[in-house]
Amino acid sequence: MAPFPSDSDAAPVPPPRMRIDALDVARGLALAAMAAYHATWDLGYLRLTPENYALTPPGRIAAHLIAGSFLILVGAGLVLAHGTGIRRRAVLTRFARIGGAALAVTVATYLLFPGSYVFFGILHCIAVASVLALPFLFAPAVVTAVCAALVIAAPGVAGWGLADGSALDSPVLFFLGLGKTLPQTNDYVPLFPWFGLVLVGIVAGRLGGPRLAKTRLGRWRAVRGPGRATAWAGRHSLAVYLVHQPVLLALFSGIAALTGPHPRAGEAEFRTVYARNCVATGGEAAACRVAARCVVGAFRRDGLWAQAQRTFTVAERARAQALSQGCYEAAEGTAPAP
């Protein structure tokens, strides 16, 4: 009986993977953008800025663009790594490295942020998508493109009621991204729609990779200056990703300990919560927004404003309620501002 064939026995050994420095630089630039986004989040979390700009609509758009660029580059990188045949040992090694790093992120964030820990973030998505994408490396490009479109569109289709929304909202299926509930987590990159961008990268790599390799940009080598440093970061993106956030948090925490919070930190969040509660209790939306700004000023003037949660005395609570009522009546035009 013949022994079980090894990787080398089962198929010809593919040639060494092609390296395109321009793609390493692109990955390095994506890392720089991600570090800038994380720095913005850290500054807001530590209350060093008036609000957490990373959580504003422009910040969320930036986060999606950055994550999307990474996943497209993952797909293109898979084409370069396995375009002539699956390198099974490399697949297992890559999955172990990225999967292990993803698990480390889950454990670390659970210890630091138990209410919003990362259970399926960018690393989790890359680890799983890198395995799911392997068959598409050799499928017709048009099939991969159609599948990419279907995966990207799937959350919207599920939202139209073509899938059982209640079943898909189960926490064990949050990794799919097809439910209607948005889980509380600091990094959420579910397979749908994000796996679709990995497939987009595969299509781009298969159709454009051979052409790019023959161009001046494809032959360019990052041998000096910023290009070399950026390409190095791109080649070691996992290590850079894991290290940069703890370093940023430590740096900004030290600054926060020296300077204290920004004087206007928390105002935007307070105005949002106040206006929402005001509308919920029967207030008019426009008047509630105006009253919210008025209340912030009045609280500061009367010494009732605090950067963190605090307990009001009976007298302070009565004064706060009077200021709030006065601000709302002034916003409605029925009384002068307090």
Side-chain angles (χ1 to χ4, degrees):
M1 180 174 170
F4 188 83
S6 65
D7 284 4
S8 58
D9 295 325
V13 177
R17 60 175 292 182
M18 178 170 52
R19 189 108 223 170
I20 297 179
D21 284 11
L23 292 181
D24 290 329
V25 169
R27 195 178 298 108
L29 291 174
L31 272 172
M34 180 172 285
Y37 174 82
H38 285 160
T40 303
W41 189 94
D42 294 341
L43 289 169
Y45 171 73
L46 294 169
R47 306 176 76 83
L48 289 170
T49 51
E51 61 180 302
N52 196 329
Y53 296 112
L55 302 180
T56 62
R60 294 185 188 279
I61 291 172
H64 288 168
L65 291 175
I66 294 166
S69 67
F70 263 109
L71 293 171
I72 291 173
L73 289 169
V74 165
L78 288 172
V79 173
L80 294 180
H82 306 287
T84 57
I86 299 297
R87 300 163 63 219
R88 285 177 284 181
R89 188 171 300 169
V91 169
L92 293 174
T93 301
R94 173 185 172 84
F95 183 80
R97 288 174 58 244
I98 300 178
L103 179 60
V105 168
T106 295
V107 172
T109 55
Y110 183 79
L111 295 175
L112 293 172
F113 314 105
S116 57
Y117 72 96
V118 177
F119 62 88
F120 205 85
I122 185 71
L123 290 183
H124 304 73
C125 185
I126 290 175
V128 175
S130 296
V131 176
L132 296 178
L134 294 178
F136 294 96
L137 295 174
F138 310 102
V142 65
V143 172
T144 304
V146 169
C147 290
L150 291 175
V151 171
I152 292 172
V157 172
W160 292 336
L162 299 182
D164 185 353
S166 60
L168 293 171
D169 274 332
S170 171
V172 298
L173 296 179
F174 278 161
F175 75 96
L176 292 176
L178 294 175
K180 297 178 182 179
T181 299
L182 186 64
Q184 184 71 25
T185 175
N186 287 334
D187 184 24
Y188 184 49
V189 188
L191 289 177
F192 295 88
W194 296 101
F195 176 52
L197 294 183
V198 176
L199 297 181
V200 169
I202 289 176
V203 174
R206 292 185 64 190
L207 297 181
R211 296 184 180 89
L212 176 62
K214 297 175 183 178
T215 65
R216 183 176 179 181
L217 179 61
R219 295 191 299 268
W220 173 75
R221 292 292 173 262
V223 295
R224 62 175 64 88
R228 181 179 180 181
T230 308
W232 181 91
R235 294 188 192 105
H236 301 86
S237 56
L238 180 59
V240 174
Y241 177 87
L242 292 175
V243 169
H244 84 278
Q245 181 65 317
V247 170
L248 288 174
L249 268 175
L251 173 65
F252 294 139
S253 294
I255 293 174
L258 293 174
T259 66
H262 190 280
R264 299 179 66 86
E267 284 190 10
E269 180 183 3
F270 176 88
R271 291 196 304 269
T272 299
V273 173
Y274 180 95
R276 183 170 62 242
N277 293 339
C278 176
V279 171
T281 55
E284 195 273 329
C288 288
R289 289 193 295 270
V290 173
R293 292 193 293 271
C294 170
V295 169
V296 170
F299 277 20
R300 284 190 179 281
R301 187 191 63 230
D302 282 27
L304 298 175
W305 181 261
Q307 292 286 350
Q309 292 287 341
R310 54 165 287 188
T311 302
F312 282 1
T313 66
V314 174
E316 287 175 333
R317 183 175 298 277
R319 179 57 180 161
Q321 290 173 343
L323 291 173
S324 177
Q325 183 66 27
C327 281
Y328 182 77
E329 291 175 355
E332 277 193 319
T334 60

